[in-house]
Amino acid sequence: MGGGTPVRWPRVLAPAHLAGAIRRQKNPLEAVHLYDEAPRWYPRSSYRHSDAVHASLLAAASSSPTLLPSLLRRVLRRSPSADALLAASVPHLPPAAAVFVFHSSLPASPAPSWPLSFSAILRRLLSRGLLPEAARFLQDFQGRPEVSIASEDLTMLISEMCRVKRPDLALQVLEEMPNQCLAPERGAYRAIFPALCDAGMLDEATHVVYSMLWRVSQRGCDGDVVVYRALLVALCAAGRGELAEQVLDKIIRKGLRTPGSRRSLRVPMLAVLNIEDAREAIDRALVVRGGRTVSSFESLILDLYDEGRLNEAGNLFQDMCKKGFRPTICMYEAKITALCREQRVDDAIKVLEEELAKNGLVPTVTTYNLLIKGLCDSMQSIKALEYLKRMDKQLGCVAGKETFSILVRGLCSESRFVEAASVMGRMVKSHHRPDRSEFSNVIQGLCSVNRTYDALLWLEEMIDHGETPDVHVWSCLVSSALGVGESVMVAAM
């Protein structure tokens, strides 16, 4: 049955067995062949494809954007879990193809509702910067019984509108959410406030903050401190320090629980401070007086690291510990990212090896990935390999495709192609599919160091995975085998 990975067929075929056989196929066409042929080998009454088989088939075809749409049209019309299957496939489809499959599958499929795939398609359109198409897609399906619009969908729309400098439209969407019985998420506020402030719409931003004060009275400033901070800093920068003092006073008073704490409240005099001192005073007032949870500190510390203000973030770290809060792993990951961005990789290593252990935290896969990427970006990919070995020794910390891809790219950028091929070998054994660029870079690199036989093996592996080598890969292989320059071969072709 085909020329792919050999399959040992049982006397009675179960869907789980076929799903596993499909997952082991490197070439998507071989996976489709198994899917089509397997039921013919067994009585119709004893076997029928399940959603697990459908999911395995679509995952195997995810690397082929031309094959995947046709498979989706076949599978979705017979699966009651069509919504989840399409949602998992949307990131691998061109946006136009995803919308077409969604349109064509809605009336024919037995699936009763499609909220997951609707959100996935909307996210796909917005991630490609297709705001008009996303708005049209949202308008076409708004109010239909098969689709329920969630707060996350409108939050994504607001974020994209802010990204293209249209905070006025984003504000209209935010104000419409309560009419749709939807509560705005924190992400919507975090996206719209910087955009309103950058556009000079400070009065509108102040009005939105006043509409949020019920959130403060219920759970304190919490993670919304970065939202309030954006407005307060913008007001001070615009010379409206008195209004900033009034807004800060309202925010903190709403967050303080007891009458005594409200009477003792002293809001800093922001109007007489320069912008840097005002920024520091706002940060301390919000988290030390208004923040009563670790979420308040975490949100502001993450924001400071994102802005590259490492000293202020370190000071808040100390204030947080004094109040009895323990730092979270997200804070250390943000610190590692900021340090690597500043080319302070040695300090980032100390964070992972010393500070995490000191606070009783264990590095996660994300933590290692951030440090490995920082090392590779600073041309220390061999040192990054040591952390891959460390991940292997840590229980429950399994390297994923992202880890291997970062290392392969880093090693290739330093012309360490033999080591890159070794890492990619581990990647394939772990059932992760390398990208075409990773295959091409390793093959061309091996040819450049006269490892033609190894390059041919990776060429075979690339073809087995259903990838088509481009002309540069072929020219490198031929020139390496013949001992001539690649430029001569390209000119000849």
Side-chain angles (χ1 to χ4, degrees), residues 77-97:
R77 66 170 180 261
R78 65 181 71 168
S79 172
S81 302
D83 181 37
L85 294 174
L86 178 56
S89 301
V90 163
H92 309 289
L93 288 169

Side-chain angles (χ1 to χ4, degrees), residues 185-195 197 209 212 215-216 220-234 251 279 282-283 286-287 291 294-307 309 316:
E185 292 186 327
R186 181 176 298 157
Y189 290 120
R190 293 195 66 167
I192 200 170
F193 268 92
C197 295
V209 161
M212 294 174 62
R215 296 164 64 100
V216 185
C221 293
D222 204 49
D224 294 327
V225 290
V226 292
V227 174
Y228 310 135
R229 173 177 177 266
L231 173 62
L232 295 169
V233 172
I251 291 171
R279 193 193 301 267
I282 289 168
D283 293 345
L286 284 174
V287 295
V294 67
S295 180
S296 301
F297 282 100
E298 181 180 278
S299 297
L300 193 50
I301 288 172
L302 294 182
D303 217 40
L304 289 171
Y305 278 131
D306 187 54
E307 295 174 3
R309 300 172 61 195
L316 277 183

Side-chain angles (χ1 to χ4, degrees), residues 224-355:
D224 294 327
V225 290
V226 292
V227 174
Y228 310 135
R229 173 177 177 266
L231 173 62
L232 295 169
V233 172
L235 288 171
C236 292
R240 302 176 66 179
E242 294 83 359
L243 179 57
E245 293 172 12
Q246 296 175 21
V247 175
L248 181 59
D249 181 79
K250 288 181 179 293
I251 291 171
I252 298 179
R253 285 185 187 279
K254 276 286 186 179
L256 296 175
R257 296 294 185 188
T258 63
S261 60
R262 293 192 183 99
R263 285 193 299 268
S264 63
L265 174 65
R266 295 292 182 271
V267 175
M269 304 293 291
L270 302 176
V272 299
L273 299 175
N274 61 45
I275 186 62
E276 289 301 323
D277 293 339
R279 193 193 301 267
E280 185 174 354
I282 289 168
D283 293 345
R284 292 193 169 276
L286 284 174
V287 295
V288 177
R289 299 303 307 270
R292 298 186 306 276
T293 64
V294 67
S295 180
S296 301
F297 282 100
E298 181 180 278
S299 297
L300 193 50
I301 288 172
L302 294 182
D303 217 40
L304 289 171
Y305 278 131
D306 187 54
E307 295 174 3
R309 300 172 61 195
L310 277 70
N311 292 332
E312 292 90 334
N315 294 334
L316 277 183
F317 246 114
Q318 296 176 4
D319 292 337
M320 179 180 177
C321 295
K322 289 177 182 178
K323 294 194 73 172
F325 294 115
R326 290 183 59 186
T328 63
I329 189 68
C330 295
M331 298 182 190
Y332 287 109
E333 289 172 354
K335 186 175 183 178
I336 290 172
T337 303
L339 289 170
C340 292
R341 195 189 307 124
E342 298 287 331
Q343 302 295 318
R344 295 168 57 183
V345 183
D346 293 336
D347 293 333
I349 292 174
K350 291 180 181 178
V351 172
L352 187 142
E353 295 186 349
E354 299 176 10
E355 295 186 26

Side-chain angles (χ1 to χ4, degrees), residues 166-180:
R166 290 304 305 269
D168 53 332
L169 297 179
L171 188 58
Q172 293 179 21
V173 176
L174 185 72
E175 293 172 346
E176 179 63 22
M177 290 181 74
N179 298 333
Q180 301 292 328

Side-chain angles (χ1 to χ4, degrees), residues 17 38 68 160 195 397 420:
H17 186 99
L68 186 57
E160 181 62 19
C397 190

